[in-house]
Amino acid sequence: MIKKYREQFNKDFSEEKYQQFLSGLGQGYPDLAFRVAETPIFIPADLKEMLVTAGNEIIEFIKDSAFKALTRDAIPLVWEVPNENDHPHFLAFDFGICKDDAGQLVPMLIELQGFPSLYGFQLHLAEQYIKGFELDQTLTPLFNGLDRDTYIELLREVIVGKHQPHEVALMDLDAIHQKTAIDFFITADLLGIKILSLTDIFKEGDQLFYRENGVNVRLKRIYNRLIFDEVAEEPEIFMDCFDPRAELDVEWVTHPNWFYRISKYTMPFLKSKFVPETWFLNTLDTLPENLHDYVLKPLFSFAGMGVIIDVSRADIDKIEDPENWILQKKVQYEPAVISPSGGVKAEIRLLYLWPDGQEPRLCINLARLSRGKMIGVRYNKDFDWVGGTVGLMEP
């Protein structure tokens, strides 16, 4: 996208450099369980400005005093967790990179999350791209004047808070075997916190503990990476550890309810030139005639599961719970990243940190490249110049 960097990168690229880059990226960490693209994205200043503006509009909506009331039905009763706090600690907004009628690249919102993403890995990934491909040292994945040290300090403030690192744990289901485990290990290295699986944690009274060297250690803060969808089919798992829905003397970063409040459920309420038309399916008295221009998404799923890309009336007629689905106008991705074999579609995720008592801050980004119908592994098998990456910007 920044022409001078793209042309130079493609000129200097080789498969050997790419393999050396991957080796450096994974050195000392678990094997990568997802594909990392051959290239970063070089985000131009005008696109960066539009991304920031689009993000700010969504932030203002989330900060509105009516937001909680508006999203009260977003949380499935079976997964509601008590003692919700005033705001999420993490925000992630996914924008497809498109082209407007004037031929300018513009971001269009695809999804949003009140849930953490790869805050540790993305910093590491950017550093490895710059080092491995000998890129301009001034390029950065960070926003708002942050550098490596100030970003890590902000990450520490949000995740560790006022506690000691050993009192804080990154928690997921079978954590060390998750596809994103490399991010967990990088985060633990940066902050000194524990990595624990759900079943490593047990409850005594209303307090949580884990065992280390034969000693029970009190857990005071959970950096939550567990998505309840992953345990929906086996709720008995909580019998072997603790149930997050119990009354607990523990701090959540971020509280699990925000996963549902800030999600596809929020999309129909957003009105912006950066947000495609979106409706709750049960609110539509008349369906659009051009259904092929829309996608149908279940509210309570993740990683693209259940999405119907080529919608027909028959698909809609089969749905028994239309209140749990949204109909969203398709976003036409522009193949804006030029690879040696043609254009590749891109998606950029803005990642925010929201410390207690402060304002949310746009910090870093995550990007993905695609040649398939959708962004995601299952739609990009057997392609090159696709996968996870990061946007680099001029300071």
Side-chain angles (χ1 to χ4, degrees):
M1 295 180 190
I2 302 179
K3 187 176 180 181
K4 64 178 181 179
Y5 295 120
R6 172 53 54 213
E7 290 180 348
Q8 190 65 48
F9 185 94
N10 288 14
K11 178 184 175 184
D12 295 341
F13 179 83
S14 70
E15 183 64 25
E16 181 182 4
K17 278 188 178 181
Y18 175 56
Q19 292 303 324
Q20 290 175 347
F21 154 76
L22 290 178
S23 178
L25 183 67
Q27 189 172 3
Y29 294 112
D31 291 341
L32 282 165
F34 53 90
R35 193 178 197 282
V36 174
E38 282 82 344
T39 180
I41 297 174
F42 301 106
I43 302 176
D46 54 352
L47 179 58
K48 173 185 174 181
E49 184 177 339
M50 280 188 282
L51 284 163
V52 171
T53 298
N56 286 342
E57 291 179 0
I58 301 169
I59 292 286
E60 288 307 307
F61 180 78
I62 292 170
K63 287 170 58 181
D64 190 278
S65 58
F67 183 78
K68 275 200 170 186
L70 200 63
T71 57
R72 64 179 178 270
D73 295 331
I75 308 165
L77 290 178
V78 68
W79 296 121
E80 188 166 8
V81 174
N83 304 316
E84 183 182 318
N85 62 335
D86 292 336
H87 63 77
H89 295 90
F90 309 96
L91 293 166
F93 304 153
D94 290 348
F95 292 93
I97 304 306
C98 309
K99 184 177 281 189
D100 65 13
D101 293 338
Q104 184 178 26
L105 293 179
V106 295
M108 289 295 290
L109 185 68
I110 305 300
E111 287 190 4
L112 63 168
Q113 301 174 337
F115 193 75
S117 189
L118 308 184
Y119 286 85
F121 178 72
Q122 289 306 113
L123 179 65
H124 177 65
L125 177 61
E127 291 173 342
Q128 291 300 315
Y129 271 125
I130 291 169
K131 177 183 176 182
F133 290 97
E134 299 179 314
L135 303 179
D136 188 328
Q137 296 285 317
T138 65
L139 291 170
T140 179
L142 298 164
F143 296 86
N144 288 318
L146 291 169
D147 59 24
R148 187 180 201 277
D149 291 340
T150 53
Y151 172 66
I152 294 171
E153 190 54 40
L154 183 59
L155 201 61
R156 187 187 316 280
E157 180 180 359
V158 170
I159 294 176
V160 181
K162 64 181 183 294
H163 303 291
Q164 296 299 312
H166 70 273
E167 298 173 323
V168 181
L170 185 158
M171 181 194 77
D172 202 342
L173 180 71
D174 193 16
I176 64 173
H177 295 117
Q178 287 287 334
K179 286 185 177 179
T180 53
I182 188 170
D183 175 70
F184 299 176
F185 282 89
I186 291 170
T187 303
D189 283 350
L190 292 175
L191 305 181
I193 63 175
K194 303 296 295 183
I195 301 172
L196 297 177
S197 295
L198 178 67
T199 51
D200 292 329
I201 302 169
F202 60 94
K203 184 166 80 83
E204 291 186 358
D206 63 354
Q207 297 180 345
L208 298 180
F209 296 85
Y210 65 94
R211 286 188 67 80
E212 187 168 67
N213 299 322
V215 176
N216 292 353
V217 181
R218 170 86 185 278
L219 190 58
K220 297 183 180 179
R221 195 169 173 94
I222 293 176
Y223 177 29
N224 182 46
R225 303 296 288 266
L226 173 68
I227 296 174
F228 286 142
D229 299 57
E230 295 181 331
V231 295
E233 301 302 319
E234 45 179 334
E236 66 279 357
I237 192 171
F238 298 134
M239 297 175 63
D240 298 326
C241 45
F242 79 102
D243 192 328
R245 298 165 294 182
E247 286 283 350
L248 299 168
D249 183 11
V250 71
E251 297 173 2
W252 290 100
V253 192
T254 193
H255 192 283
N257 290 354
W258 288 105
F259 174 78
Y260 296 104
R261 287 191 183 276
I262 301 173
S263 64
K264 290 188 286 290
Y265 190 93
T266 316
M267 290 283 294
F269 300 112
L270 297 172
K271 307 302 176 187
S272 166
K273 67 178 182 180
F274 301 114
V275 179
E277 292 179 332
T278 307
W279 300 275
F280 292 109
L281 189 58
N282 66 321
T283 66
L284 284 173
D285 296 324
T286 304
L287 292 173
E289 292 184 7
N290 52 336
L291 277 176
H292 60 276
D293 289 335
Y294 291 81
V295 292
L296 197 56
K297 297 181 178 181
L299 288 176
F300 305 114
S301 71
F302 64 102
M305 297 297 291
V307 173
I308 300 173
I309 303 172
D310 300 312
V311 183
S312 69
R313 181 61 193 248
D315 293 321
I316 292 175
D317 289 341
K318 291 176 187 175
I319 293 175
E320 299 177 355
D321 56 342
E323 70 279 6
N324 292 326
W325 291 75
I326 57 172
L327 189 68
Q328 179 179 317
K329 194 161 188 180
K330 281 182 180 177
V331 167
Q332 299 299 324
Y333 289 77
E334 175 68 16
V337 176
I338 305 303
S339 79
S341 56
V344 183
K345 294 176 285 189
E347 191 169 285
I348 296 173
R349 175 178 295 177
L350 300 183
L351 298 179
Y352 298 76
L353 292 170
W354 196 341
D356 291 325
Q358 299 180 40
E359 293 293 307
R361 290 189 66 182
L362 174 57
C363 296
I364 199 167
N365 74 88
L366 178 154
R368 292 183 289 181
L369 297 178
S370 172
R371 297 180 190 266
K373 278 191 173 184
M374 286 180 65
I375 302 284
V377 174
R378 67 178 61 88
Y379 301 99
N380 284 278
K381 292 179 179 177
D382 304 321
F383 292 128
D384 61 2
W385 288 65
V386 298
T389 183
V390 66
L392 297 178
M393 300 165 286
E394 293 179 323

